[in-house]
Amino acid sequence: MSKYDVIIVGAGHSGLVAGFYLARAGLKVLMLERSHQVGGTCITEEVFPGYRGSSIANSCHSLDPRIAGDMELEKHGLRLTHPDLNSLTLFSNGDALVMWPERERRRAEMERLAEPGDMQGFSDVMQFYQNVAKKMGVSFYDPAPSLEEVAARFVEPADKEAFNLVMFGSVADVLDRHLKSPWLKSFLAGTAMATNLVGPRTPGSGYILLQRPLQEESMRRSGVVFESNELMMKNASPIGGVGAVTQAMARANESLGVEIRLEAPVRELLCDNGKVKGVVLESGEEIEAARVLANINPKTVLTKLVPANQLPPEIEERARKLTMHGSSSKVHLALKGTPRFNRAGNDEENTQFLGTNFRVVPSIDVLQESYNEAAMGRWSPHVTISGVVSSAADPNMTPPGCHFMSLSVRGTPYHLSNGSWDDQREALGNAVVETLSRNIGNIKDIIEGISVYTPVDLERNYGMTEGNGAHGDIVPGRIFDARPMPGCANYTTPIEGLFMCGVGNWPGNFMSGLTGYNASRKMLGDFRPTH
């Protein structure tokens, strides 16, 4: 058998980050990826002939600047553009909230949608979350604390109330305290929905709005500069789609001698008496390693890759009961022309709209209705969408004058109460187009192709168990040292030598790279090269 210090299962962005740091420390690393390309869900694909774009993940906005700097991604070919707009939120009534780059223009835009007192209320919401983040004192770079440890830091009555509101109340509870405008509420509530199967009135739904303040606070405490960093917090768009980021990460790994094998799916881990020895590929090939780092869904690791009778029975049983409850689908559009946003007053504004990530968010009530339907195994035609026009940053990704639109759709349950996703695939695509047409008037006229990845497709083709892109909802009860579950915190497992680094681990945080960074540090504290 071939022998390595570390085998990494899954060449998604977290595995690529971990591989880099392990190799930089002198370890002999092998990375195994079942797909024909690296990146996991952070890839660029040719979905239609001649049309390429960000396929599953839409953006790299959360990428940690320390990681980007250490890996020297720009040296390895990454090029970025920086759109003018911070964000664009499209509402179901055809209106939009445009976060213009100019401060006064942005304020005027918000005032147009605000009700009396809302401008101060909006500021108060932002300050509320910043205060909770500071009081928590949680670092994304350190071992995850327990909920009890964090709760004990909130002593004063007002602090306890704030903690309870974020952790056990809903995002609607927070917003209703400070805002009256249904549109400003929708703007913030839409962010909280993310990939979680929760509604804006679901207890715990407000926590996701704390992720960004917690990350910012973590960086401040660690001395990481981010305010002006070009690889974070500035709506950066990679030339070549989000896959350009993971391709640059792969080149950084290869420059340190990491061996990356594509189309090499792992069938099982080699284990003996609760200790990992290596892996077995689907081909039957066995590869030996002193340690294995799994960059895939934790439930898949513990219930499918680990052989029977290797885990403590109670851990195995709880792993099987882990819920995923994904709510995400993907719709891609090939457009034989330029989308025209109704809100754009001229060609220059339309170009600005094309260049930024946009979100289609109905009211809080409609968002809640969508969640209620999903919980019952149905999906609402009033879909919530976040999207990006990949070709706006890189026209070479499509035929001349054409565009590629990548759309993440929320509120689409993996488990349907009636029928199958094969039966409902076309209807979902049509509902997305119908929703977009309220804000992009010419969308139906320029469509050349529609592609739909249902939650089942995302599981089958990209390892997103039950269509959950976060590998388990990022909500209270699934954070801190309970992520992915008690007994498997801080990137370790009961199997000696088996570590995990996917976003199903703390702090989650999507495409930040932090789970890979932290897992590599944990592993490096555990052993040194044997060769």
Side-chain angles (χ1 to χ4, degrees):
M1 294 190 296
S2 303
K3 187 171 183 179
Y4 297 84
D5 290 320
V6 180
I7 293 174
I8 299 177
V9 181
H13 79 280
S14 295
L16 290 163
V17 169
F20 170 84
Y21 285 104
L22 294 171
R24 195 175 72 167
L27 275 61
K28 184 180 180 183
V29 179
L30 170 66
M31 197 172 299
L32 301 170
E33 170 56 45
R34 70 174 186 170
S35 178
H36 67 282
Q37 64 175 321
V38 302
T41 60
C42 302
I43 56 174
T44 298
E45 287 187 300
E46 186 176 37
V47 179
F48 311 93
Y51 288 81
R52 300 175 63 251
S54 300
S55 178
I56 309 302
N58 284 342
S59 70
C60 58
H61 299 170
S62 296
L63 183 62
D64 188 274
R66 173 187 288 174
I67 293 170
D70 286 348
M71 298 185 78
E72 299 182 294
L73 297 182
E74 291 181 302
K75 172 185 172 182
H76 291 288
L78 179 62
R79 297 293 179 267
L80 301 169
T81 61
H82 299 279
D84 292 335
L85 298 184
N86 291 325
S87 68
L88 172 66
T89 302
L90 309 174
F91 299 122
S92 53
N93 68 345
D95 203 349
L97 173 59
V98 186
M99 300 302 274
W100 300 108
E102 303 86 5
R103 182 176 180 179
E104 290 306 314
R105 192 180 185 189
R106 184 167 63 249
R107 181 177 179 84
E109 175 75 355
M110 295 178 68
E111 287 177 338
R112 184 179 65 83
L113 296 169
E115 296 189 15
D118 275 348
M119 295 306 293
Q120 182 60 49
F122 191 91
S123 177
D124 289 345
V125 171
M126 299 295 102
Q127 190 62 53
F128 170 81
Y129 275 104
Q130 290 174 9
N131 291 343
V132 172
K134 289 180 180 179
K135 181 66 67 173
M136 275 193 173
V138 171
S139 173
F140 280 4
Y141 303 105
D142 293 334
S146 67
L147 178 63
E148 294 80 7
E149 288 178 73
V150 175
R153 297 166 188 165
F154 292 77
V155 178
E156 299 300 324
D159 293 336
K160 287 184 177 181
E161 182 182 48
F163 177 81
N164 290 336
L165 185 60
V166 169
M167 302 299 283
F168 309 116
S170 70
V171 67
D173 292 334
V174 177
L175 300 180
D176 287 345
R177 288 188 169 205
H178 300 283
L179 296 169
K180 300 183 183 69
S181 166
W183 308 119
L184 294 184
K185 289 181 184 180
S186 295
F187 168 70
L188 292 170
T191 303
M193 297 306 98
T195 63
N196 296 335
L197 184 57
V198 298
R201 302 193 189 283
T202 305
S205 60
Y207 171 79
I208 194 65
L209 289 182
L210 194 63
Q211 283 287 99
R212 179 58 63 85
L214 278 177
Q215 187 177 7
E216 292 180 3
E217 187 63 21
S218 296
M219 287 189 288
R220 287 191 186 98
R221 290 169 179 264
S222 299
V224 179
V225 177
F226 66 90
E227 283 87 351
S228 60
N229 191 282
E230 291 193 345
L231 280 171
M232 187 181 176
M233 310 292 184
K234 291 191 68 175
N235 209 19
S237 297
I239 302 295
V242 74
V245 179
T246 47
Q247 291 291 333
M249 287 180 171
R251 287 189 285 271
N253 273 265
E254 290 169 339
S255 72
L256 295 177
V258 175
E259 182 182 342
I260 301 175
R261 291 178 58 177
L262 302 177
E263 299 181 307
V266 173
R267 184 178 72 205
E268 188 177 69
L269 300 180
L270 289 170
C271 297
D272 182 33
N273 292 321
K275 183 175 182 178
V276 75
K277 298 290 186 180
V279 303
V280 184
L281 302 186
E282 291 283 1
S283 64
E285 179 185 356
E286 296 186 358
I287 309 174
E288 185 179 349
R291 298 289 188 274
V292 173
L293 180 59
N295 179 36
I296 56 178
N297 188 294
K299 184 173 183 176
T300 302
V301 176
L302 299 173
T303 63
K304 294 183 178 179
L305 292 190
V306 174
N309 303 317
Q310 293 293 322
L311 285 168
E314 67 277 9
I315 293 289
E316 185 173 359
E317 179 65 17
R318 283 194 285 118
R320 295 191 184 283
K321 292 179 179 178
L322 267 180
T323 56
M324 291 295 123
H325 297 321
S327 64
S328 297
S329 300
K330 289 292 302 190
V331 174
H332 302 107
L333 302 179
L335 304 174
K336 56 182 179 182
T338 300
R340 182 75 191 193
F341 290 84
N342 297 351
R343 180 64 204 286
N346 51 49
D347 290 343
E348 181 182 356
E349 287 186 1
N350 198 65
T351 298
Q352 288 180 295
F353 289 8
L354 288 171
T356 191
N357 282 33
F358 64 88
R359 183 179 290 115
V360 183
V361 182
S363 68
I364 280 185
D365 288 340
V366 176
L367 281 171
Q368 186 63 36
E369 176 198 342
S370 177
Y371 164 74
N372 293 342
E373 288 293 294
M376 297 296 290
R378 302 184 292 264
W379 56 274
S380 170
H382 304 295
V383 290
T384 301
I385 301 167
S386 58
V388 63
V389 182
S390 303
S391 47
D394 186 357
N396 294 320
M397 301 178 77
T398 60
C402 298
H403 283 285
F404 179 93
M405 190 176 284
S406 178
L407 307 164
S408 298
V409 185
R410 312 303 183 198
T412 51
Y414 176 86
H415 298 284
L416 292 173
S417 57
N418 291 296
S420 71
W421 271 116
D422 287 336
D423 300 329
Q424 299 181 37
R425 183 191 312 273
E426 183 177 352
L428 177 61
N430 291 337
V432 167
V433 172
E434 187 63 36
T435 298
L436 287 175
S437 69
R438 300 187 188 107
N439 298 94
I440 305 174
N442 69 336
I443 193 75
K444 294 180 180 179
D445 298 327
I446 61 175
I447 288 178
E448 187 166 28
I450 303 175
S451 171
V452 178
Y453 295 164
T454 71
V456 175
D457 297 324
L458 295 176
E459 177 181 73
R460 182 186 302 123
N461 300 328
Y462 302 96
M464 290 171 55
T465 302
E466 297 191 20
N468 193 311
H471 294 179
D473 281 353
I474 304 175
V475 291
R478 302 291 290 276
I479 56 174
F480 304 146
D481 66 350
R483 187 166 187 87
M485 68 179 202
C488 290
N490 292 318
Y491 319 102
T492 63
T493 72
I495 302 293
E496 184 181 345
L498 175 60
F499 297 76
M500 298 189 293
C501 72
V503 295
N505 297 275
W506 168 258
N509 219 43
F510 310 109
M511 198 185 174
S512 65
L514 287 171
T515 55
Y517 176 78
N518 291 342
S520 66
R521 292 166 64 214
K522 178 71 174 178
M523 186 177 282
L524 288 171
D526 184 69
F527 83 114
R528 288 291 180 264
T530 57
H531 59 86

